[in-house]
Amino acid sequence: MVNERMYGLGAEPSAIRELFAYGMARKAEIGADSVFDFSIGNPSVPAPDAVKQAVLELMEEEPSALHGYSPAAGDPRVRAAVADHIRRRFDVPASPDQVYLTAGAAAGLAISICAVTEPGDEVVVIAPFFPEYQVWIETAGCTRVEVPAHVPDFQLDIDALDAAIGPATAAVIINSPNNPVGAVYTRENLEALAALLARKEAELGRKIYVISDEPYREITYGAEVPYVPCVWPRTIVCYSYSKSFSLPGERIGYIYVSDLMDDAAEVSTAVAGAGRALGFICAPVLFQRVIAACIDEPSDVASYAENRRLLTEGLGALGYEFVEPDGAFYLWVRALEDDAQAFSDRAKAHELLLVPSDSFGVPGWVRVSYCVSRATIERSMPAFKALMEEYRG
Ligand code: PLP
């Protein structure tokens, strides 16, 4: 016998990965140019040149040191470089002790949730939400509490959060810029969250952590992305280079436990413990070093901005309804029938791969990832048109 829950997770791939796998098979069958694969958030922009240069230079180093273990939390030089970057960029007193290098935001989130919860606690997520949150929350023995985003702007709904946060609430996960809707939480909205959490902490007599999931921090189209620790001190930032440097396969990111929280050292120790318990120690060492070498390198968002323009203009002209994204590289489009899965299936017949919204915790929408080539968007427009005509005549 194997573990039933783990068997279930292994047997049922996520809706995103399932569609992505279908797309790979379909491309092999009919040719890559004939499939409009908007399923997964795999960056289409190449990693910066500086990354390649850093790899080449590092390869000159002595191999056993270069490829050896680092301490569990990461190479001290890299932790120092990350802390220094956070200090300079956000004007907060970041110390290297509060930085823990991780295999992407995924590991960072799994660790952070385990670090600040006890089994039986509740973790609040904002719907629509990144589907893997559910897996990590359950693994920590906790319960997910869903709070719908405020419609139509998809900001945090402070009244709904007020109603949802109770004696069992240990943490609130927020993700801005947001996958899947592209919303960026305003400073005012985050300040309202902070005021609510301060009141709830006093009322309930417990600490409530914000886990800020930030892989898309750099991917914005002009919006300000406030640094959450400056607004709510009890924040754990889960950062990743998967999207900002287009390095999702290298599995590199970090946890930063804000120095501004009164229990910062204790939380960092629990982060180290959770990393140990989950086996997430010593993030990939070569890429720890690479990000330290490239830490101030800007992200290239020009082609995502152009894709966003093409897609929103194109779908707008065809009569689709969607949320105008301020960040990330996803468009949240209203399905043309209530059943998002059925709509996604009908889109498939036009070779359009759109992720149904159900696994993000809401019905009736699809997510269109526009981290694709410009040509994919241009060529997909007749298919989107035919799909619309199928529904609306
Ligand atoms: N959080 C969100 C909202 C994401 O979209 C993703 C990846 O797509 C992750 C976390 C995980 O990212 P990583 O590749 O850094 O593990």
Side-chain angles (χ1 to χ4, degrees), residues 129-274:
F129 54 85
F130 185 58
E132 294 305 288
Y133 293 165
Q134 168 62 12
V135 178
W136 301 320
I137 291 168
E138 255 182 51
T139 300
C142 297
T143 306
R144 179 189 78 211
V145 173
E146 286 176 40
V147 174
H150 183 266
V151 174
D153 58 11
F154 288 86
Q155 296 282 305
L156 299 167
D157 186 332
I158 303 301
D159 291 339
L161 280 163
D162 192 351
I165 293 174
T169 307
V172 179
I173 303 179
I174 61 172
N175 167 227
S176 170
N178 183 265
N179 173 12
V181 299
V184 175
Y185 300 149
T186 63
R187 182 172 293 279
E188 199 187 9
N189 191 226
L190 290 169
E191 281 170 357
L193 171 70
L196 171 69
L197 294 178
R199 174 163 63 77
K200 287 286 184 181
E201 282 201 345
E203 271 172 26
L204 300 168
R206 72 171 295 166
K207 292 172 175 169
I208 303 173
Y209 295 87
V210 166
I211 299 176
S212 182
D213 178 18
E214 305 198 351
Y216 302 97
R217 164 163 288 280
E218 326 306 334
I219 313 214
T220 60
Y221 309 105
E224 181 211 6
V225 187
Y227 200 52
V228 184
C230 297
V231 181
W232 179 243
R234 210 178 303 290
T235 294
I236 302 171
V237 175
C238 297
Y239 187 82
S240 165
Y241 294 91
S242 290
K243 319 288 173 173
S244 55
F245 282 176
S246 300
L247 295 172
E250 303 302 348
R251 315 305 304 133
I252 192 72
Y254 63 79
I255 294 169
Y256 169 56
V257 176
S258 169
D259 289 77
L260 297 170
M261 70 176 87
D262 51 13
D263 52 347
E266 195 186 336
V267 174
S268 269
T269 306
V271 160

Side-chain angles (χ1 to χ4, degrees), residues 357-391:
S357 59
D358 309 79
S359 57
F360 296 94
V362 295
W365 298 75
V366 287
R367 189 193 75 173
V368 182
S369 296
Y370 56 85
C371 47
V372 294
S373 71
R374 183 188 164 137
T376 300
I377 297 179
E378 286 169 343
R379 279 202 314 268
S380 70
M381 284 301 145
F384 275 112
K385 184 164 187 279
L387 181 64
M388 176 59 90
E389 282 167 357
E390 202 176 298
Y391 279 91

